[in-house]
Amino acid sequence: TVHHLGNVVFTTVRDANGRLDGFADSSGDSHREVFLYAEIDRIPEEEAAAVRRRLQLALTDVQATVRDHAAMKDTLAAITATLRDADLPVDEAEREEAIAFLAWLPQNHFTFLGYRSFSYEDGAIRQTEEPALGILSNRRPATVRRLDDQDGAVRDFLLQPTLLSFSQAGTRSRVH
């Protein structure tokens, strides 16, 4: 159980090996870093390694999310631009609403955690060769799913002629 969680952002200067040299103003050699402090229940020593491992996995996901943030926003911008020019089987009002929504998201209205691209061909949904971004770059590639093997409600959802649709991820995120 977490009893207290605090954080503060520092402007730091680090040497070539990543060791902290000191704190600074916002000069060219400085970086913004967050210090997190958490008070948790006392845990037995034999459980400490597992807790450290879970924390490291969460930090790895945070690092991937920060590292790929600009790439995820760029990908969204490219998808949005494609929608503007594509010949789509939806009416113009739906297209304009979708484009407006996608343009609104990156204006601090959405937290980009990960991205994967999928294709539908030969009755199957498969992850494309495009690299996964954010937390999804730390996960195994998605398995191929045959549409015929999906539950009827899932199949209906996937086959709806809707420009945008949303669903919950199949795995729980370690960051949010």
Side-chain angles (χ1 to χ4, degrees), residues 10 18 42 45 84 105 114 145 165:
F10 292 106
R42 183 173 300 277
E45 187 59 36
R84 286 188 176 93
L105 285 177
R145 305 283 173 100
S165 59

Side-chain angles (χ1 to χ4, degrees), residues 60-75:
T60 299
D61 280 352
V62 168
Q63 290 168 333
T65 299
V66 171
R67 177 197 68 219
D68 293 346
H69 183 257
M72 287 186 278
K73 288 178 77 172
D74 290 347
T75 300

Side-chain angles (χ1 to χ4, degrees), residues 11-84:
T11 303
T12 62
V13 177
R14 294 189 176 270
D15 68 15
N17 295 319
R19 285 186 294 247
L20 182 66
D21 274 344
F23 300 98
D25 58 12
S26 297
S27 69
D29 294 335
S30 65
H31 304 279
R32 305 283 287 165
E33 297 185 37
V34 65
F35 173 78
L36 300 173
Y37 172 81
E39 292 180 7
I40 62 171
D41 287 338
R42 183 173 300 277
I43 56 172
E45 187 59 36
E46 61 271 11
E47 294 177 22
V51 171
R52 276 194 287 283
R53 177 71 180 136
R54 287 197 323 261
L55 285 171
Q56 186 57 53
L57 288 171
L59 288 173
T60 299
D61 280 352
V62 168
Q63 290 168 333
T65 299
V66 171
R67 177 197 68 219
D68 293 346
H69 183 257
M72 287 186 278
K73 288 178 77 172
D74 290 347
T75 300
L76 176 63
I79 290 168
T80 304
T82 299
L83 293 178
R84 286 188 176 93

